[in-house]
DNA sequence: TGGATCGTTCGGGGAACGCCGAAAGGTCAT
DNA sequence: ATGACCTTTCGGCGTTCCCCGAACGATCCA
């Protein structure tokens, strides 16, 4: 009974569309200011301030005050995992994007993005599949690193990432693909490495990333991964998503 | 924005203490009637009826109507996983049990219980640790089944459990122990096997289970597991839980 | 057929919640 | 110091939500 109260309290933090929008935005792993969150969600700064305070008090967000700014980030990987998990259980999005702007943004997000600290979208899934195909991950065992995978990762990074509280590798079923991709400490290390080496770079201010020419070559060398195929895949699943409706406009706008 | 709406809608289903109590009760994996849930949560039948309808509509619960009864169960393992995940992020319970009755119940729950379809509590953790110690699970790899683990399980059950949508093995950080234990298809199969062979049996009508003499022997033979030690462990962690306060009453009551 | 049990629907009361605008506190740059 | 900017507090409005009791429909048993 006291148990159900605390569960309800936690869920209530995410049970509001504005707070949920905050958390989803913060899934990019970076720190946003209170005002940025307000504009992003389309509410008054005063409203955002109250929401942010509740999320911090509830332990979901961590804050850093700097001058007149209040920087907010997710409290940790476990919170990010929680949000992802909940998003994964959400019914598929029925509303097609309205404007050309939002359509382009949605396409970029589906193709490649970060999911807190690891890769997601078609790129994340493709990397995970390629690693599984080379026996670096074990698809039957929750996509855990195999012995070969550990060696491969240590060779790539110089050392295996340290494991404190979070698992070394974990799957994250993502929001657009509905397929598992690599998360956990190894997923985060791999993503950080890709940013360091400029294999990937952020597009604008959101979660979307693009593969650089460097990255295209590196991923081909490392995993036989053809990143150009990310577009082909998109067309296939688009066809599935809309169930045969208006494939024309969808295809035309996305060009 | 439409994305945050659906996340909020899902979270709102669990953002009420009564609905949360329903879901936690249903974590025992069995079907409860609407009236049972009402009594369990201490609300009027009419109130429970509305809550149940919302949970079913939201996809969290599945219903089977039989005569004048309405049987409710969690919609699937993924929903159970979600509830467990949320419970795991709940702050530790500060309220000690009041009555002797509830104290005894809490002790039994901590010792051994089911968590939807797999084992949890000290027993679940002990089995998982024993399997990891014998290299049947890989602690560094998200507690995935190793090759030896697959063979061991296939030998025990006659065949490996079929894997459709859920992962073969997965960890579930549980509510009292805060430590991982085996879940997923293999965890469910192992638990079902233990019930079939009468290694374990339910205590009363809740989630608590006890180890039978059969089970005591079988677990010792299979995994060198000394189920009598579950009590010793309990005392140790009790001491940690209460932080040095009233260890006397805690120890005395639990005898 | 009558009575008991289980569930649902409906109306209403009370509380909690989310939102805003106005006003004010800090902080930074000129 | 002055003005621009970011954030917070407060009062108030409207909505939603949770709960109950009463009445009703359905089912099972005697």
């Amino acid at each position: 009974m006291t148990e159900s109260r605390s569960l309800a309290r936690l869920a209530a933090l995410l049970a509001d569309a504005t707070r949920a929008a905050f958390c989803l935005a913060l899934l990019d792993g970076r720190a946003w200011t209170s005002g940025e969150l307000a504009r992003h969600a389309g509410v008054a700064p005063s409203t955002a301030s109250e929401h942010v305070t509740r999320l911090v008090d509830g332990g979901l967000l961590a804050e850093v005050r700097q001058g007149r700014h209040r920087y907010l980030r997710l409290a940790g990987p476990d919170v990010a995992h929680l949000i992802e998990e909940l998003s994964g259980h959400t019914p598929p999005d029925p509303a097609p994007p309205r404007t050309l702007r939002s359509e382009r943004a949605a396409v970029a997000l589906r193709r490649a993005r970060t999911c807190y600290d690891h890769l997601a979208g078609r790129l994340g899934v493709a990397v995970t599949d390629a690693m599984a195909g080379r026996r670096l991950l074990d698809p039957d065992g929750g996509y855990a690193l195999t012995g070969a995978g550990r060696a491969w990762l240590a060779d790539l990074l110089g050392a295996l990432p340290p494991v404190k509280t979070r698992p070394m590798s974990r799957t994250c079923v993502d929001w657009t693909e509905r397929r598992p991709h690599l998360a956990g400490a190894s997923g985060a290390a791999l993503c950080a490495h890709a940013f360091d080496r400029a294999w990937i770079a952020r597009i604008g201010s959101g979660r979307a990333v693009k593969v650089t020419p460097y990255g295209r070559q590196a991923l081909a060398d490392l995993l036989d991964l053809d990143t150009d195929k990310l577009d082909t895949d998109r067309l296939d699943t688009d066809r599935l998503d809309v169930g045969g409706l208006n494939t024309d406009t969808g295809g035309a706008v996305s060009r």
Side-chain angles (χ1 to χ4, degrees), chain A residues 16 38 57 71 76 80 86 89 110 132 152 181 183 219 226 240 244:
Chain A
D16 172 76
D57 288 347
Y71 289 101
L86 275 160
H89 285 267
R110 280 201 295 271
W152 180 86
H181 57 262
L219 289 172
D226 184 359
L240 289 177

Side-chain angles (χ1 to χ4, degrees), chain A residues 26-42:
Chain A
L26 290 165
L27 261 191
D28 69 356
R30 293 179 294 180
W32 295 47
T33 67
S34 182
E36 284 170 343
L37 290 173
R39 279 190 296 277
H40 174 77

Side-chain angles (χ1 to χ4, degrees), chain A residues 29-54:
Chain A
R30 293 179 294 180
W32 295 47
T33 67
S34 182
E36 284 170 343
L37 290 173
R39 279 190 296 277
H40 174 77
V43 296
S46 57
T47 304
S49 174
E50 290 169 358
H51 283 308
V52 159
T53 300
R54 287 183 60 173

Side-chain angles (χ1 to χ4, degrees), chain A residues 160-237:
Chain A
L160 282 179
V163 170
K164 287 162 243 155
T165 59
R166 62 196 306 202
M168 173 64 93
S169 87
R170 192 172 58 68
T171 64
C172 169
V173 176
D174 97 16
W175 142 53
T176 49
E177 296 303 302
R178 312 254 155 203
R179 292 188 49 205
H181 57 262
L182 187 64
S186 53
L190 199 57
C191 178
H193 185 76
F195 272 119
D196 284 348
R197 297 289 168 96
W199 293 352
I200 55 177
R202 295 212 182 262
I203 303 177
S205 64
R207 299 167 57 185
V209 300
K210 65 167 187 279
V211 179
T212 66
Y214 276 119
R216 193 167 159 282
Q217 187 62 45
L219 289 172
D221 292 346
L222 267 177
L223 294 166
D224 279 329
L225 193 63
D226 184 359
T227 47
D228 293 334
K229 268 180 49 189
L230 297 180
D231 273 326
T232 332
D233 288 343
R234 184 184 59 70
L235 290 179
D236 287 348
T237 53

Side-chain angles (χ1 to χ4, degrees), chain A residues 84-102:
Chain A
E84 291 163 8
E85 195 82 30
L86 275 160
S87 303
H89 285 267
T90 260
D93 198 342
R98 297 266 179 248
T99 70
L100 188 137
R101 245 186 104 82
S102 67

Side-chain angles (χ1 to χ4, degrees), chain A residues 1-9:
Chain A
M1 23 213 74
T2 171
E3 177 70 17
S4 54
R5 282 229 163 262
S6 40
L7 173 55
R9 238 194 317 269

